[in-house]
Amino acid sequence: LPSKHSRAFRNRPRYQQFEVSVLDPTNTPPTLVGAGEFLLTSRPLLLPAEFAEYVPSAPASVAILVDTSDNAENKVNEERDFAGALVRNLEPHDDVALLAYSRRAYLLQPMTSDRGGPLRMLPLVKASGNAALYDATAQGIKVAFNSACYARRSLVIISSGFDNASQITAPDLIENVREQGPSLIHLS
């Protein structure tokens, strides 16, 4: 877990936490990096790094998005089993949220460290309706980004990959991903 020193920074006004990958001039990650040893930029600003900590296995906030459209009808049991295994195999300090989608996204379990919540919701996952994958992915990104308490954020998408009902376009979704920054993992 992050140290007691990083917790003190979290209480400061306008605090923002970022997960960054730092590479030395030979494109390899150094093992120990201090706050004054690298620069953070966010177009066009240069951001001061007041605290830096090397955390090789930092906790993560993981949102799981499960396809419940008609396209997943033959695979919904496999999807539930896979999502359940994923929840059970997260690290003890990770947070998890569960979403399902067909015509729209449904938040079944908000971000929590309690594994029981998402596991109790998985039996409710049933297949029906059109597939709004892009809209659901955008909603999953919001959950992964806005309700995450850790800098490491991932959205795991368990899906057929088919979309026939979204309002958002693929280019808009890609821009959304670039802006919000969670890791996306798509499993078909």
Side-chain angles (χ1 to χ4, degrees), residues 159-176:
S159 164
S160 66
F162 187 75
D163 186 309
N164 62 359
S166 285
Q167 300 298 310
I168 192 172
T169 65
D172 289 340
L173 177 61
I174 291 167
E175 184 60 29
N176 190 343

Side-chain angles (χ1 to χ4, degrees), residues 49 95 97 101 109 154 182:
D95 286 342
Y101 79 93
Q109 173 63 59
S154 296

Side-chain angles (χ1 to χ4, degrees), residues 105-150:
Y106 302 91
L107 180 61
L108 300 177
Q109 173 63 59
M111 202 63 77
T112 180
S113 59
D114 173 23
R115 303 294 183 267
L119 293 173
R120 284 188 297 276
M121 298 308 290
L122 281 170
L124 301 178
V125 172
K126 309 280 188 229
S128 70
N130 289 332
L133 172 61
Y134 302 156
D135 291 349
T137 301
Q139 182 64 30
I141 290 168
K142 287 179 186 173
V143 169
F145 188 79
N146 295 334
S147 62
C149 69
Y150 297 118

